[in-house]
Amino acid sequence: MSNPSILILPGDGIGPEVMAEVRHVIDWFGENRDLTFDVSEDLVGGAAYDVHGVPLADATMERAQGADAVLLGAVGGPRYDELDFQLKPERGLLRLRKEMDLYANLRPAQCFDALAEFSSLKADVVGGLDIMIVRELTSGVYFGEPRGIVKEGNERVGINTQRYTESEIARVARSAFDLARKRTGKVCSMEKANVMESGVLWREVVSEVHAAEYSDVVLSHMYADAGAMQLTRWPKQFDVIVTDNLFGDLLSDLAAMLTGSLGMLPSASLGAPMDNGRPKALYEPVHGSAPDIAGQGKANPVACILSFAMALRYSFDKGDEATRLERAVEAVLADGLRTPDLMGPEGGSPVSTAEMGDAVVAKLSASL
Ligand code: IPM
Ligand code: MG
């Protein structure tokens, strides 16, 4: 049987440098755990625009469709701000999500003990935090039609449409309930059913799926604004949160920051199973391309490394090896290694992107 394939799309800004560390980690698993992947690389975002004039070439899209997993670094940068909307780096990422139909976006917000002090909240509020936001990723206001900027009389009107079908809501709800069963068995669904019809339907469908298939899971509902408030007040009340595309975008940034650093958090975007039983999947750090620090060896590679851990767990059924990698990261942090984003106001001497990557690989070796 051929090796499972991974398509790496480093993208823009700090994407390539954090991805270089992930490649070391992938190599380590090949050399030490008999887990060899066929790894190939391609362009996305501004990097693709520079070469092909589009943020995602058709050939790259095809390769992504055929890969067992896609690992993406980050897209975007000020150089591309003036581009036509359809050519912006972000459109490349959105095309991947939409055409691969990656409807369930898993964004864990986990607070590493060694980093609890970096949160803007009190350490006892975030210490030990471990929640999972499941964001619907392929519909809602991000993709709804009609959309555009049109002329009405003598002024322009910007239009986007929030739209959800029952089946779109039901499938992401199932993803959330399935995950909850493997965790502490609690799901909180967030929408704005008090204001939006799409929210009314969201609440109804989530409740129906729950009653019919998942009555062992504890389900609650919250308006998304109240959810944001509760997330900052006492985040540990949550286990799995399921929400729509736009609310999920906002709430996952909020939840990420609770943990102290965006540079630490991975994500998985999963679709329906392929013929080989693996879900269509794309893994990426939650952080962006951070153009201000790109190319300086200052980026934290941990979020991208942990995204590969999620790939081991969700695409390759190697939960044990995923845990091994997550423990290696924890051990490095416990040793006090810090990239610049993890430096407190009192300072210290930060390590570089490559040093952080090397340290994780060394901890992996120590785990054998
Ligand atoms: C995210 C990002 C993207 C989004 C952008 C880059 C298109 O903010 O993954 O959260 O809005 O979904
Ligand atoms: Mg976002």
Side-chain angles (χ1 to χ4, degrees):
M1 241 176 64
S2 59
N3 296 323
S5 61
I6 297 181
L7 175 65
I8 293 192
L9 303 173
D12 307 323
I14 60 172
E17 54 201 290
V18 295
M19 201 57 91
E21 300 315 310
V22 177
R23 290 203 76 142
H24 293 151
V25 170
I26 295 175
D27 290 345
W28 184 90
F29 279 94
E31 286 154 22
N32 297 281
R33 303 304 299 159
D34 205 19
L35 266 176
T36 306
F37 299 96
D38 284 337
V39 181
S40 58
E41 271 203 29
D42 210 332
L43 302 170
V44 69
Y49 174 80
D50 289 338
V51 174
H52 301 298
V54 285
L56 188 78
D58 291 344
T60 313
M61 186 68 239
E62 239 171 80
R63 291 175 78 184
Q65 294 281 20
D68 289 318
V70 178
L71 289 185
L72 187 137
V75 294
R79 281 209 295 132
Y80 309 103
D81 281 352
E82 301 306 315
L83 282 181
D84 192 58
F85 189 71
Q86 289 306 327
L87 298 176
K88 284 193 189 300
E90 291 78 6
R91 304 306 304 174
L93 175 57
L94 292 168
R95 181 177 175 198
L96 282 163
R97 290 175 179 171
K98 185 68 178 175
E99 291 192 21
M100 293 171 75
D101 203 17
L102 305 171
Y103 59 86
N105 181 213
L106 279 45
R107 299 192 163 186
Q110 226 178 330
C111 185
F112 292 84
D113 289 342
L115 299 179
E117 70 197 274
F118 286 99
S119 176
S120 49
L121 301 189
K122 296 192 189 81
D124 70 311
V125 176
V126 294
L129 179 71
D130 179 6
I131 60 184
M132 177 73 87
I133 297 193
V134 180
R135 168 190 176 191
E136 199 291 326
L137 201 60
T138 51
S139 186
V141 74
Y142 270 56
F143 296 99
E145 299 281 347
R147 65 185 299 165
I149 301 175
V150 300
K151 200 89 194 227
E152 259 178 37
N154 50 15
E155 71 169 349
R156 289 167 303 159
V157 184
I159 301 172
N160 290 92
T161 302
Q162 166 82 336
R163 180 181 193 278
Y164 270 107
T165 65
E166 285 186 82
S167 53
E168 286 169 342
I169 300 167
R171 65 182 185 172
V172 74
R174 287 194 184 94
S175 302
F177 289 131
D178 285 337
L179 272 168
R181 276 186 175 153
K182 297 187 194 141
R183 296 168 54 96
T184 66
K186 272 197 318 190
V187 171
C188 181
S189 169
M190 296 186 186
E191 26 57 19
K192 288 277 290 176
N194 50 343
V195 185
M196 300 162 75
E197 284 80 357
S198 61
V200 172
L201 184 70
W202 182 281
R203 193 175 280 223
E204 277 176 24
V205 173
V206 170
S207 300
E208 286 161 13
V209 170
H210 175 250
E213 301 165 41
Y214 295 95
S215 49
D216 53 309
V217 175
V218 178
L219 171 66
S220 59
H221 302 274
M222 240 180 233
Y223 299 138
D225 55 344
M229 186 267 282
Q230 289 297 338
L231 265 172
T232 44
R233 189 185 72 82
W234 188 245
K236 285 187 246 181
Q237 69 187 280
F238 298 109
D239 180 22
V240 175
I241 293 173
V242 63
T243 189
D244 77 10
N245 204 341
L246 182 60
F247 293 141
D249 184 42
L250 305 180
L251 294 172
S252 63
D253 265 22
L254 191 160
M257 207 53 220
L258 297 178
T259 71
S261 170
L262 266 176
M264 302 294 298
L265 294 177
S267 78
S269 304
L270 306 176
M274 301 185 281
D275 289 345
N276 60 14
R278 297 189 173 110
K280 279 255 162 93
L282 181 144
Y283 300 87
E284 58 178 319
V286 170
H287 63 67
S289 61
D292 51 322
I293 59 163
Q296 301 168 35
K298 290 183 180 167
N300 184 349
V302 164
C304 207
I305 290 173
L306 291 176
S307 299
F308 175 64
M310 290 188 92
L312 288 171
R313 181 171 290 121
Y314 294 109
S315 282
F316 302 117
D317 214 16
K318 295 285 179 201
D320 297 355
E321 301 299 338
T323 304
R324 178 194 298 281
L325 180 51
E326 289 158 356
R327 296 237 166 95
V329 167
E330 270 169 46
V332 166
L333 294 173
D335 279 354
L337 259 73
R338 302 282 184 266
T339 41
D341 57 306
L342 303 177
M343 288 276 118
E346 66 285 354
S349 46
V351 299
S352 69
T353 309
E355 285 166 330
M356 194 66 154
D358 290 348
V360 172
V361 169
K363 287 292 180 194
L364 282 171
S365 294
S367 77
L368 294 175

